[in-house]
Coordinates of all heavy atoms in Angstrom, one line a residue:
M1 N -31.7 -24.8 129.6 CA -31.5 -23.4 129.8 C -31.2 -23.1 131.2 O -31.8 -23.6 132.1 CB -32.8 -22.7 129.4 CG -32.7 -21.9 128.2 SD -34.3 -21.1 127.9 CE -33.7 -19.7 127.1
S2 N -30.2 -22.2 131.4 CA -29.9 -21.9 132.8 C -30.8 -20.8 133.3 O -31.6 -20.1 132.6 CB -28.4 -21.4 132.8 OG -28.3 -20.1 132.2
E3 N -30.7 -20.6 134.6 CA -31.6 -19.6 135.2 C -31.2 -18.2 134.7 O -32.1 -17.3 134.6 CB -31.4 -19.6 136.8 CG -32.3 -18.7 137.5 CD -32.2 -18.9 139.0 OE1 -32.0 -20.0 139.5 OE2 -32.3 -17.9 139.7
R4 N -29.9 -17.9 134.5 CA -29.5 -16.6 134.0 C -30.1 -16.3 132.6 O -30.5 -15.2 132.3 CB -27.9 -16.6 133.9 CG -27.4 -15.3 133.5 CD -25.9 -15.2 133.7 NE -25.4 -13.9 133.3 CZ -24.7 -13.7 132.2 NH1 -24.3 -14.6 131.5 NH2 -24.3 -12.4 132.0
D5 N -30.2 -17.4 131.7 CA -30.8 -17.2 130.4 C -32.2 -16.8 130.5 O -32.7 -16.0 129.8 CB -30.6 -18.4 129.6 CG -29.2 -18.7 129.2 OD1 -28.4 -17.7 129.2 OD2 -28.8 -19.8 128.8
D6 N -32.9 -17.4 131.5 CA -34.3 -17.1 131.7 C -34.5 -15.7 132.1 O -35.4 -15.0 131.7 CB -34.9 -18.0 132.8 CG -35.1 -19.5 132.2 OD1 -35.1 -19.6 131.0 OD2 -35.2 -20.4 133.1
E7 N -33.6 -15.2 133.0 CA -33.7 -13.8 133.5 C -33.4 -12.8 132.4 O -34.1 -11.8 132.2 CB -32.7 -13.6 134.7 CG -33.1 -14.3 135.9 CD -32.1 -14.2 137.0 OE1 -31.1 -13.4 136.8 OE2 -32.3 -14.8 138.1
E8 N -32.4 -13.1 131.5 CA -32.1 -12.3 130.4 C -33.3 -12.2 129.4 O -33.6 -11.2 128.9 CB -30.9 -12.7 129.7 CG -29.6 -12.5 130.5 CD -28.4 -13.0 129.8 OE1 -28.4 -13.3 128.6 OE2 -27.3 -13.0 130.4
R9 N -33.9 -13.4 129.2 CA -35.0 -13.4 128.2 C -36.2 -12.6 128.8 O -36.8 -11.9 128.0 CB -35.4 -14.9 128.0 CG -36.5 -15.1 127.0 CD -36.8 -16.6 126.8 NE -37.5 -16.9 125.6 CZ -38.8 -16.6 125.4 NH1 -39.5 -16.0 126.3 NH2 -39.5 -17.0 124.4
E10 N -36.5 -12.8 130.1 CA -37.6 -12.0 130.7 C -37.3 -10.5 130.6 O -38.2 -9.7 130.3 CB -37.7 -12.4 132.2 CG -38.9 -11.8 132.8 CD -39.1 -12.3 134.2 OE1 -38.7 -13.4 134.6 OE2 -39.7 -11.5 135.0
F11 N -36.0 -10.1 130.8 CA -35.7 -8.7 130.7 C -35.9 -8.2 129.3 O -36.4 -7.1 129.1 CB -34.2 -8.5 131.1 CG -33.7 -7.1 130.9 CD1 -34.1 -6.1 131.8 CD2 -32.9 -6.8 129.8 CE1 -33.7 -4.8 131.5 CE2 -32.5 -5.5 129.6 CZ -32.9 -4.5 130.5
D12 N -35.5 -9.0 128.3 CA -35.6 -8.6 126.9 C -37.1 -8.4 126.6 O -37.5 -7.5 125.9 CB -35.0 -9.6 126.0 CG -33.5 -9.6 126.0 OD1 -32.9 -8.6 126.5 OD2 -32.9 -10.6 125.5
L13 N -38.0 -9.3 127.1 CA -39.4 -9.2 126.8 C -40.0 -7.9 127.4 O -40.8 -7.2 126.8 CB -40.2 -10.4 127.3 CG -39.9 -11.7 126.5 CD1 -40.6 -12.9 127.1 CD2 -40.3 -11.6 125.0
K14 N -39.6 -7.7 128.7 CA -40.1 -6.5 129.3 C -39.6 -5.2 128.6 O -40.3 -4.3 128.4 CB -39.6 -6.4 130.8 CG -40.3 -7.4 131.7 CD -39.7 -7.3 133.1 CE -40.4 -8.3 134.0 NZ -39.8 -8.3 135.4
W15 N -38.3 -5.3 128.1 CA -37.8 -4.1 127.4 C -38.5 -3.9 126.1 O -38.9 -2.8 125.8 CB -36.3 -4.4 127.2 CG -35.6 -3.3 126.3 CD1 -35.2 -2.1 126.8 CD2 -35.3 -3.4 124.9 NE1 -34.7 -1.4 125.7 CE2 -34.7 -2.1 124.6 CE3 -35.5 -4.3 124.0 CZ2 -34.3 -1.9 123.3 CZ3 -35.1 -4.0 122.7 CH2 -34.5 -2.8 122.4
A16 N -38.8 -5.0 125.4 CA -39.5 -4.9 124.1 C -40.9 -4.4 124.3 O -41.5 -3.6 123.5 CB -39.5 -6.2 123.4
D17 N -41.6 -4.9 125.3 CA -43.0 -4.5 125.6 C -43.1 -3.1 126.0 O -44.1 -2.4 125.8 CB -43.6 -5.5 126.6 CG -43.9 -6.8 126.1 OD1 -44.0 -7.0 124.8 OD2 -44.1 -7.8 126.9
G18 N -42.1 -2.6 126.7 CA -42.1 -1.2 127.2 C -41.7 -0.2 126.1 O -41.6 1.0 126.5
A19 N -41.4 -0.6 124.9 CA -40.9 0.4 123.9 C -42.0 1.4 123.6 O -43.2 1.1 123.6 CB -40.6 -0.4 122.6
E20 N -41.6 2.6 123.4 CA -42.5 3.7 123.2 C -43.1 3.6 121.8 O -44.3 3.9 121.5 CB -41.9 5.1 123.3 CG -41.6 5.4 124.7 CD -41.0 6.8 124.9 OE1 -41.2 7.7 124.0 OE2 -40.2 7.0 125.8
H21 N -42.3 3.2 120.8 CA -42.8 3.1 119.4 C -42.7 1.7 119.0 O -41.6 1.1 119.1 CB -41.9 4.0 118.5 CG -42.3 3.8 117.0 ND1 -43.4 4.4 116.5 CD2 -41.7 3.2 116.0 CE1 -43.5 4.0 115.2 NE2 -42.4 3.4 114.9
K22 N -43.8 1.1 118.5 CA -43.8 -0.2 118.0 C -44.0 -0.2 116.5 O -44.9 0.4 116.0 CB -44.8 -1.1 118.7 CG -44.6 -1.3 120.2 CD -45.5 -2.2 120.8 CE -45.2 -2.3 122.3 NZ -46.0 -3.3 123.0
E23 N -43.1 -0.9 115.8 CA -43.2 -0.9 114.3 C -44.4 -1.8 113.9 O -44.6 -2.9 114.4 CB -42.0 -1.5 113.7 CG -41.9 -1.5 112.2 CD -40.6 -2.0 111.7 OE1 -39.6 -1.8 112.4 OE2 -40.6 -2.4 110.5
P24 N -45.2 -1.3 112.9 CA -46.4 -2.2 112.5 C -45.9 -3.4 111.7 O -44.8 -3.4 111.2 CB -47.2 -1.2 111.6 CG -46.2 -0.1 111.2 CD -45.2 0.0 112.3
S25 N -46.7 -4.4 111.6 CA -46.3 -5.6 110.9 C -46.2 -5.3 109.4 O -46.7 -4.3 108.9 CB -47.4 -6.7 111.1 OG -48.6 -6.3 110.5
A26 N -45.6 -6.2 108.7 CA -45.5 -6.1 107.2 C -46.8 -6.0 106.6 O -47.0 -5.2 105.6 CB -44.7 -7.2 106.7
R27 N -47.8 -6.8 107.0 CA -49.1 -6.8 106.4 C -49.8 -5.4 106.7 O -50.4 -4.8 105.8 CB -50.0 -7.9 107.0 CG -51.4 -7.9 106.5 CD -52.2 -9.1 106.8 NE -53.5 -9.1 106.4 CZ -54.0 -9.2 105.2 NH1 -53.2 -9.3 104.2 NH2 -55.3 -9.1 104.9
A28 N -49.6 -4.9 107.9 CA -50.2 -3.6 108.2 C -49.6 -2.5 107.3 O -50.3 -1.6 106.8 CB -50.0 -3.2 109.7
R29 N -48.3 -2.5 107.1 CA -47.6 -1.6 106.2 C -48.1 -1.7 104.8 O -48.3 -0.7 104.1 CB -46.1 -1.7 106.3 CG -45.5 -1.3 107.6 CD -44.0 -1.2 107.6 NE -43.4 -2.4 107.1 CZ -42.9 -3.4 107.8 NH1 -43.0 -3.4 109.1 NH2 -42.3 -4.5 107.2
M30 N -48.3 -2.9 104.3 CA -48.7 -3.2 103.0 C -50.1 -2.6 102.8 O -50.4 -2.0 101.8 CB -48.7 -4.7 102.6 CG -49.2 -5.0 101.2 SD -49.7 -6.7 101.0 CE -51.1 -6.8 102.2
L31 N -51.0 -2.9 103.7 CA -52.4 -2.5 103.6 C -52.5 -0.9 103.7 O -53.3 -0.3 102.9 CB -53.3 -3.1 104.6 CG -53.6 -4.6 104.5 CD1 -54.3 -5.1 105.6 CD2 -54.3 -4.8 103.2
A32 N -51.7 -0.3 104.5 CA -51.7 1.1 104.6 C -51.2 1.7 103.3 O -51.8 2.7 102.9 CB -50.8 1.6 105.8
A33 N -50.2 1.2 102.7 CA -49.8 1.7 101.4 C -50.8 1.5 100.3 O -51.0 2.4 99.5 CB -48.5 1.0 101.0
R34 N -51.4 0.4 100.3 CA -52.5 0.1 99.3 C -53.7 1.0 99.5 O -54.2 1.5 98.5 CB -52.9 -1.4 99.4 CG -53.9 -1.7 98.3 CD -54.4 -3.1 98.4 NE -53.3 -4.1 98.3 CZ -53.4 -5.4 98.6 NH1 -54.5 -5.9 99.1 NH2 -52.4 -6.2 98.5
W35 N -54.1 1.2 100.7 CA -55.3 2.0 101.0 C -55.0 3.5 100.8 O -56.0 4.2 100.7 CB -55.8 1.7 102.4 CG -56.4 0.3 102.5 CD1 -56.7 -0.5 101.5 CD2 -56.7 -0.4 103.7 NE1 -57.2 -1.7 102.0 CE2 -57.2 -1.7 103.4 CE3 -56.6 -0.1 105.1 CZ2 -57.6 -2.6 104.3 CZ3 -56.9 -1.0 106.0 CH2 -57.5 -2.2 105.7
K36 N -53.8 3.9 100.9 CA -53.5 5.3 100.7 C -53.9 5.7 99.2 O -54.4 6.7 99.0 CB -52.0 5.6 100.9 CG -51.7 7.0 100.9 CD -50.2 7.3 101.2 CE -49.9 7.0 102.7 NZ -48.5 7.4 103.1
E37 N -53.6 4.8 98.3 CA -53.9 5.0 96.9 C -55.3 4.7 96.5 O -56.0 5.4 95.7 CB -53.0 4.2 96.0 CG -51.5 4.5 96.2 CD -50.6 3.5 95.4 OE1 -51.2 2.6 94.7 OE2 -49.4 3.6 95.6
N38 N -55.9 3.6 97.1 CA -57.2 3.1 96.8 C -57.9 2.7 98.0 O -57.9 1.5 98.4 CB -57.1 2.0 95.8 CG -58.4 1.5 95.2 OD1 -59.4 2.2 95.4 ND2 -58.4 0.4 94.6
P39 N -58.6 3.6 98.7 CA -59.2 3.3 100.0 C -60.3 2.3 99.8 O -61.0 2.3 98.8 CB -59.7 4.6 100.5 CG -59.7 5.5 99.4 CD -58.7 5.0 98.4
P40 N -60.5 1.3 100.7 CA -61.6 0.4 100.6 C -63.0 1.0 100.8 O -63.1 2.0 101.5 CB -61.3 -0.6 101.7 CG -60.6 0.1 102.8 CD -59.8 1.2 102.0
G41 N -64.0 0.4 100.2 CA -65.3 0.9 100.3 C -65.9 0.4 101.7 O -65.4 -0.4 102.4
P42 N -67.1 1.0 102.0 CA -67.7 0.5 103.3 C -68.2 -0.9 103.2 O -68.7 -1.4 102.1 CB -68.9 1.5 103.4 CG -69.2 2.0 102.0 CD -67.8 2.0 101.3
V43 N -68.0 -1.6 104.3 CA -68.5 -3.0 104.3 C -69.5 -3.2 105.5 O -69.2 -2.7 106.6 CB -67.2 -3.9 104.6 CG1 -67.7 -5.4 104.7 CG2 -66.2 -3.8 103.5
P44 N -70.6 -3.8 105.2 CA -71.6 -3.9 106.3 C -71.1 -4.8 107.4 O -70.3 -5.8 107.1 CB -72.8 -4.5 105.6 CG -72.3 -5.1 104.3 CD -71.1 -4.3 103.9
F45 N -71.6 -4.6 108.6 CA -71.2 -5.4 109.7 C -71.7 -6.8 109.6 O -71.0 -7.8 109.9 CB -71.6 -4.8 111.0 CG -71.3 -5.6 112.2 CD1 -70.0 -5.7 112.7 CD2 -72.3 -6.2 112.9 CE1 -69.7 -6.4 113.8 CE2 -72.0 -7.0 114.1 CZ -70.6 -7.0 114.5
R46 N -72.9 -7.0 109.1 CA -73.5 -8.3 109.0 C -73.9 -8.5 107.5 O -74.1 -7.6 106.8 CB -74.8 -8.4 109.9 CG -74.5 -8.2 111.3 CD -75.7 -8.5 112.2 NE -75.5 -8.2 113.5 CZ -75.0 -9.1 114.4 NH1 -74.7 -10.2 114.1 NH2 -74.9 -8.7 115.7
A47 N -74.1 -9.8 107.2 CA -74.5 -10.1 105.8 C -76.0 -9.7 105.6 O -76.7 -9.5 106.6 CB -74.3 -11.6 105.6
D48 N -76.4 -9.7 104.4 CA -77.8 -9.4 104.1 C -78.7 -10.5 104.7 O -78.3 -11.6 104.6 CB -78.0 -9.3 102.5 CG -77.2 -8.2 101.9 OD1 -77.0 -7.2 102.6 OD2 -76.9 -8.3 100.7
P49 N -79.9 -10.1 105.2 CA -80.7 -11.1 105.7 C -81.2 -12.1 104.7 O -81.5 -13.3 105.1 CB -81.9 -10.3 106.3 CG -81.7 -8.9 106.0 CD -80.4 -8.8 105.3
G50 N -81.2 -11.8 103.5 CA -81.7 -12.7 102.4 C -80.6 -13.7 102.0 O -80.8 -14.6 101.2
H51 N -79.4 -13.5 102.4 CA -78.2 -14.3 102.0 C -78.3 -15.7 102.6 O -78.4 -15.9 103.8 CB -76.9 -13.6 102.4 CG -75.7 -14.3 101.9 ND1 -75.3 -14.4 100.6 CD2 -74.8 -15.0 102.6 CE1 -74.2 -15.1 100.5 NE2 -73.9 -15.5 101.7
R52 N -78.3 -16.7 101.7 CA -78.4 -18.1 102.1 C -77.1 -18.9 102.1 O -77.1 -20.1 102.3 CB -79.5 -18.8 101.3 CG -80.8 -18.2 101.4 CD -81.6 -19.0 102.4 NE -82.9 -18.5 102.5 CZ -83.8 -18.8 103.4 NH1 -83.4 -19.6 104.4 NH2 -85.0 -18.3 103.5
G53 N -76.1 -18.3 101.6 CA -74.8 -19.1 101.5 C -74.7 -19.6 100.0 O -75.5 -19.4 99.2
S54 N -73.7 -20.4 99.8 CA -73.4 -20.9 98.5 C -74.3 -22.0 98.0 O -74.6 -22.2 96.9 CB -72.0 -21.4 98.4 OG -71.7 -22.4 99.3
S55 N -74.9 -22.8 99.0 CA -75.7 -24.0 98.6 C -77.1 -23.6 98.3 O -77.8 -24.3 97.6 CB -75.6 -25.1 99.6 OG -76.2 -24.6 100.8
G56 N -77.6 -22.5 98.9 CA -79.0 -22.1 98.7 C -80.0 -22.8 99.5 O -81.2 -22.5 99.5
R57 N -79.5 -23.9 100.3 CA -80.5 -24.6 101.2 C -80.6 -23.8 102.5 O -79.7 -23.1 102.9 CB -80.0 -26.0 101.5 CG -80.0 -26.8 100.3 CD -79.6 -28.3 100.6 NE -78.3 -28.3 101.1 CZ -77.7 -29.5 101.5 NH1 -78.4 -30.6 101.5 NH2 -76.4 -29.5 101.9
S58 N -81.7 -23.9 103.1 CA -81.9 -23.2 104.4 C -81.3 -24.0 105.5 O -80.9 -25.2 105.4 CB -83.4 -23.0 104.7 OG -84.1 -24.3 104.8
S59 N -81.1 -23.4 106.7 CA -80.4 -24.0 107.8 C -81.2 -25.2 108.4 O -80.6 -26.1 108.9 CB -80.2 -23.0 108.9 OG -81.4 -22.5 109.4
W60 N -82.5 -25.3 108.2 CA -83.3 -26.4 108.8 C -83.0 -27.7 108.0 O -83.0 -28.8 108.6 CB -84.8 -26.1 108.9 CG -85.4 -26.1 107.6 CD1 -85.7 -25.0 106.8 CD2 -86.0 -27.2 106.8 NE1 -86.3 -25.3 105.6 CE2 -86.6 -26.7 105.6 CE3 -86.1 -28.5 107.1 CZ2 -87.2 -27.5 104.7 CZ3 -86.7 -29.3 106.1 CH2 -87.2 -28.8 105.0
V61 N -82.7 -27.6 106.8 CA -82.3 -28.8 106.0 C -81.0 -29.4 106.5 O -80.9 -30.6 106.7 CB -82.2 -28.4 104.5 CG1 -81.8 -29.6 103.7 CG2 -83.6 -28.0 104.0
S62 N -80.0 -28.5 106.7 CA -78.8 -29.0 107.3 C -78.9 -29.6 108.6 O -78.3 -30.6 109.0 CB -77.8 -27.8 107.4 OG -77.5 -27.3 106.1
T63 N -79.8 -29.0 109.5 CA -80.0 -29.5 110.8 C -80.7 -30.9 110.7 O -80.4 -31.8 111.4 CB -80.9 -28.6 111.6 OG1 -80.3 -27.3 111.6 CG2 -81.2 -29.1 113.0
A64 N -81.7 -31.1 109.8 CA -82.3 -32.3 109.6 C -81.4 -33.4 109.1 O -81.4 -34.6 109.6 CB -83.5 -32.2 108.6
V65 N -80.4 -33.1 108.3 CA -79.5 -34.0 107.8 C -78.6 -34.5 108.9 O -78.3 -35.7 109.1 CB -78.6 -33.4 106.6 CG1 -77.4 -34.3 106.3 CG2 -79.5 -33.2 105.4
V66 N -78.1 -33.6 109.7 CA -77.2 -33.9 110.9 C -78.0 -34.8 111.9 O -77.4 -35.8 112.3 CB -76.7 -32.6 111.6 CG1 -76.0 -32.9 112.9 CG2 -75.7 -31.9 110.6
L67 N -79.2 -34.4 112.2 CA -79.9 -35.2 113.2 C -80.2 -36.6 112.6 O -80.2 -37.6 113.3 CB -81.2 -34.5 113.6 CG -81.0 -33.2 114.4 CD1 -82.4 -32.5 114.7 CD2 -80.3 -33.5 115.7
G68 N -80.5 -36.7 111.3 CA -80.7 -38.0 110.7 C -79.5 -38.9 110.8 O -79.6 -40.1 111.0
C69 N -78.3 -38.3 110.5 CA -77.1 -39.1 110.6 C -76.8 -39.5 112.0 O -76.4 -40.7 112.3 CB -75.9 -38.2 110.1 SG -75.9 -37.9 108.4
V70 N -77.1 -38.7 113.0 CA -76.9 -39.1 114.4 C -77.9 -40.2 114.8 O -77.5 -41.2 115.4 CB -77.2 -37.9 115.4 CG1 -77.2 -38.3 116.8 CG2 -76.0 -36.9 115.2
A71 N -79.1 -40.1 114.3 CA -80.1 -41.2 114.6 C -79.7 -42.5 113.9 O -79.8 -43.6 114.5 CB -81.5 -40.8 114.1
A72 N -79.1 -42.4 112.7 CA -78.7 -43.6 112.0 C -77.5 -44.3 112.7 O -77.5 -45.5 112.9 CB -78.3 -43.3 110.6
V73 N -76.6 -43.5 113.3 CA -75.5 -44.0 114.0 C -76.0 -44.7 115.3 O -75.5 -45.8 115.7 CB -74.4 -42.9 114.3 CG1 -73.4 -43.4 115.3 CG2 -73.8 -42.5 113.0
I74 N -76.9 -44.1 116.0 CA -77.5 -44.7 117.2 C -78.1 -46.0 116.9 O -77.9 -47.0 117.6 CB -78.5 -43.7 117.9 CG1 -77.7 -42.5 118.4 CG2 -79.3 -44.4 119.0 CD1 -78.6 -41.4 119.0
V75 N -78.9 -46.1 115.8 CA -79.6 -47.3 115.5 C -78.6 -48.4 115.1 O -78.7 -49.5 115.5 CB -80.6 -47.1 114.3 CG1 -81.1 -48.4 113.7 CG2 -81.8 -46.2 114.8
L76 N -77.6 -48.0 114.3 CA -76.5 -48.9 113.9 C -75.8 -49.5 115.1 O -75.5 -50.7 115.2 CB -75.5 -48.3 113.0 CG -74.4 -49.1 112.5 CD1 -74.9 -50.3 111.6 CD2 -73.4 -48.3 111.7
L77 N -75.4 -48.6 116.1 CA -74.7 -49.1 117.3 C -75.6 -50.0 118.1 O -75.2 -51.0 118.7 CB -74.3 -47.9 118.1 CG -73.1 -47.1 117.5 CD1 -72.8 -45.9 118.4 CD2 -71.9 -47.9 117.4
G78 N -76.9 -49.7 118.2 CA -77.9 -50.6 118.9 C -78.0 -51.9 118.2 O -78.0 -53.0 118.9
Y79 N -78.0 -52.0 116.9 CA -78.0 -53.2 116.2 C -76.8 -54.1 116.4 O -76.8 -55.3 116.6 CB -78.2 -52.9 114.7 CG -78.1 -54.2 113.8 CD1 -79.2 -55.1 113.8 CD2 -77.0 -54.4 113.1 CE1 -79.1 -56.2 113.0 CE2 -76.9 -55.6 112.3 CZ -77.9 -56.5 112.2 OH -77.8 -57.6 111.5
V80 N -75.6 -53.4 116.4 CA -74.3 -54.1 116.6 C -74.3 -54.7 118.0 O -73.8 -55.8 118.2 CB -73.1 -53.2 116.4 CG1 -71.8 -53.8 116.9 CG2 -73.1 -52.8 114.9
N81 N -74.8 -54.0 119.0 CA -74.8 -54.5 120.4 C -75.8 -55.6 120.7 O -75.6 -56.5 121.5 CB -75.0 -53.4 121.4 CG -73.9 -52.4 121.5 OD1 -72.7 -52.8 121.3 ND2 -74.1 -51.2 121.9
L82 N -76.9 -55.7 119.9 CA -77.9 -56.7 120.1 C -77.6 -58.0 119.3 O -78.2 -59.0 119.6 CB -79.3 -56.2 119.7 CG -79.9 -55.1 120.6 CD1 -81.2 -54.6 120.0 CD2 -80.1 -55.6 122.0
R83 N -76.7 -57.9 118.4 CA -76.4 -59.0 117.5 C -75.6 -60.1 118.3 O -74.7 -59.7 119.0 CB -75.6 -58.5 116.3 CG -75.6 -59.5 115.1 CD -74.9 -58.9 114.0 NE -73.5 -58.8 114.4 CZ -72.5 -58.3 113.7 NH1 -72.8 -57.7 112.5 NH2 -71.3 -58.2 114.1
P84 N -76.0 -61.4 118.3 CA -75.3 -62.4 119.0 C -73.9 -62.6 118.3 O -73.8 -62.5 117.1 CB -76.1 -63.6 118.9 CG -77.0 -63.4 117.8 CD -77.2 -61.9 117.6
Y85 N -72.9 -63.0 119.1 CA -71.6 -63.2 118.6 C -71.5 -64.6 118.0 O -71.5 -65.6 118.2 CB -70.5 -63.0 119.7 CG -70.5 -61.6 120.1 CD1 -71.1 -61.1 121.3 CD2 -69.9 -60.6 119.3 CE1 -71.0 -59.8 121.7 CE2 -69.9 -59.3 119.7 CZ -70.4 -58.9 120.8 OH -70.4 -57.6 121.2

């Protein structure tokens, strides 16, 4: 790319960013049209405190599984390093 092309591209970006009216994206237009006919209901900011996810297990079980896997890898690596060749 030549230096002139870079300058023209920079000018085009400045011109586009400085536009007074910016057209909304296609998704924004689609949602606005859909919500005009059927507005969405209120959605809470956070999930219910009793919500546990799809598996139903608590977070400490997942933590114990991850820590157990890490400990198993450490033991396995120690065994491989101590084994004579």
Side-chain angles (χ1 to χ4, degrees):
M1 249 180 148
S2 70
E3 185 176 322
R4 184 168 181 250
D5 291 338
D6 289 340
E7 289 175 7
E8 287 179 11
R9 186 177 192 292
E10 184 176 336
F11 174 75
D12 287 344
L13 290 175
K14 287 180 182 177
W15 177 78
D17 289 341
E20 288 183 27
H21 175 73
K22 295 186 180 184
E23 183 177 335
S25 67
R27 179 167 173 75
R29 291 191 308 264
M30 178 200 63
L31 289 175
R34 182 184 300 167
W35 290 346
K36 189 180 284 186
E37 298 171 7
N38 187 13
V43 178
F45 178 70
R46 299 186 187 272
D48 295 334
H51 182 69
R52 296 265 185 192
S54 61
S55 66
R57 294 188 293 178
S58 61
S59 63
W60 69 267
V61 174
S62 299
T63 303
V65 168
V66 170
L67 291 176
C69 290
V70 169
V73 168
I74 291 172
V75 169
L76 180 65
L77 290 175
Y79 173 74
V80 169
N81 287 336
L82 291 177
R83 202 176 65 183
Y85 293 103

